[in-house]
Amino acid sequence: MVKRVRGSKTGRPIMVLLDLLGRRWVLRIVWELREKPRRFRELQDATGASPTIVNSRLAELREAKLVELDAESGYRLTALGKELLRLFLPLHVWSEKWAKAVAI
Amino acid sequence: MVKRVRGSKTGRPIMVLLDLLGRRWVLRIVWELREKPRRFRELQDATGASPTIVNSRLAELREAKLVELDAESGYRLTALGKELLRLFLPLHVWSEKWAKAVAI
DNA sequence: TTCGAGTGCTACAATTTATGTAGTATCGCC
DNA sequence: GGCGATACTACATAAATTGTAGCACTCGAA
């Protein structure tokens, strides 16, 4: 049971998804899992988020069946999670172009 | 000048972008602008976010050159913003599939 | 068999961020 | 003038996040 979107309570999947992905560190955590599984502390160190928030985000992502914990290797993307990531991969290239345009 | 990512201070474009998109209501606002320009109050009503936050998110998005304000029509995506949205459009279809798998 | 290192995870006070309500200021129009 | 619409702001309350410290468990080495 995924937490409902806060603003609009329609429960439409796209809204629930945008709400989930719009929580702090969620996109970043998924991103850090793109290549290989990571341990709890690796995610903490890589993101710089507090353990409290890493833990609750991982819980949300597990509830959403995007991430799972494998005792051997650590946290990893599920099949669904990998699908989602695939949609986001073009962001990497695009972000470079964007950075030039915005002159961060 | 886009605010730097909080956790990792690398300033790498992808991290800055993930940080920006990971702020509450940002994805949602971009989504609401996908079809046509919207007025400030329309965005407020559609998202359910407070005017304070709508205003500051719009300011961030304008700074990031993803959104602009046209006096005639309202807030709209820039060329860059439309490019970004194009990357996100598949989410709509995918979210339906995801919803079935997760049983929200 | 105790020690240390690694694991996921939690408690909790301090800080930061978001909310909700009300309001300001400006514009065009009748 | 007065009305409605616009973008936007003030500010007290509520909620989320942070940072630090630590717990409980497992496993392998001393």
Side-chain angles (χ1 to χ4, degrees):
Chain A
M1 165 83 173
V2 171
K3 272 182 204 157
R4 296 310 172 84
V5 78
R6 278 163 285 235
S8 93
K9 295 164 183 64
T10 62
R12 277 188 292 163
I14 182 65
M15 296 307 174
V16 179
L17 183 62
L18 289 178
D19 177 52
L20 175 64
L21 299 180
R23 291 178 195 160
R24 192 164 298 164
W25 300 117
V26 166
L27 282 174
R28 181 63 190 277
I29 287 173
V30 171
W31 187 257
E32 293 296 337
L33 296 177
R34 73 192 178 285
E35 287 179 349
K36 59 169 185 249
R38 301 281 184 186
R39 291 289 172 188
F40 190 93
R41 278 182 174 70
E42 285 184 284
L43 288 172
Q44 230 187 286
D45 294 346
T47 60
S50 67
T52 319
I53 229 59
V54 171
N55 187 45
S56 67
R57 290 305 180 258
L58 283 173
E60 289 161 6
L61 284 167
R62 290 165 83 177
E63 214 173 12
K65 293 184 180 164
L66 297 173
V67 166
E68 64 193 356
L69 174 55
D70 175 59
E72 302 304 313
S73 58
Y75 286 98
R76 65 184 177 197
L77 296 175
T78 62
L80 270 176
K82 283 176 189 166
E83 282 182 23
L84 181 62
L85 178 67
R86 209 169 302 130
L87 298 182
F88 279 93
L89 281 179
L91 274 186
H92 201 175
V93 176
W94 184 84
S95 71
E96 304 281 346
K97 173 183 175 179
W98 168 72
K100 280 175 196 151
V102 179
I104 302 172
Chain B
M1 169 82 174
V2 172
K3 273 182 205 158
R4 294 312 173 84
V5 79
R6 279 163 284 239
S8 92
K9 294 165 183 63
T10 62
R12 276 188 293 162
I14 183 64
M15 296 307 174
V16 178
L17 183 61
L18 289 177
D19 177 52
L20 175 64
L21 299 179
R23 292 178 193 160
R24 192 166 298 164
W25 300 117
V26 166
L27 283 173
R28 180 64 190 276
I29 287 173
V30 171
W31 187 257
E32 292 297 336
L33 296 177
R34 70 193 179 284
E35 288 180 347
K36 57 170 187 247
R38 300 281 183 186
R39 292 288 172 189
F40 190 92
R41 278 184 175 70
E42 285 185 283
L43 288 172
Q44 230 188 284
D45 294 346
T47 60
S50 66
T52 320
I53 228 60
V54 172
N55 188 45
S56 68
R57 289 304 181 259
L58 283 173
E60 289 163 5
L61 283 167
R62 290 165 82 177
E63 213 174 14
K65 292 185 181 163
L66 298 174
V67 166
E68 64 192 356
L69 174 55
D70 175 58
E72 303 303 313
S73 57
Y75 287 96
R76 66 184 177 197
L77 296 175
T78 62
L80 271 176
K82 284 176 189 165
E83 283 183 21
L84 180 61
L85 178 67
R86 211 169 300 132
L87 298 182
F88 279 93
L89 280 179
L91 273 187
H92 201 178
V93 176
W94 185 84
S95 71
E96 303 283 345
K97 174 182 174 180
W98 168 72
K100 279 174 197 151
V102 179
I104 303 176

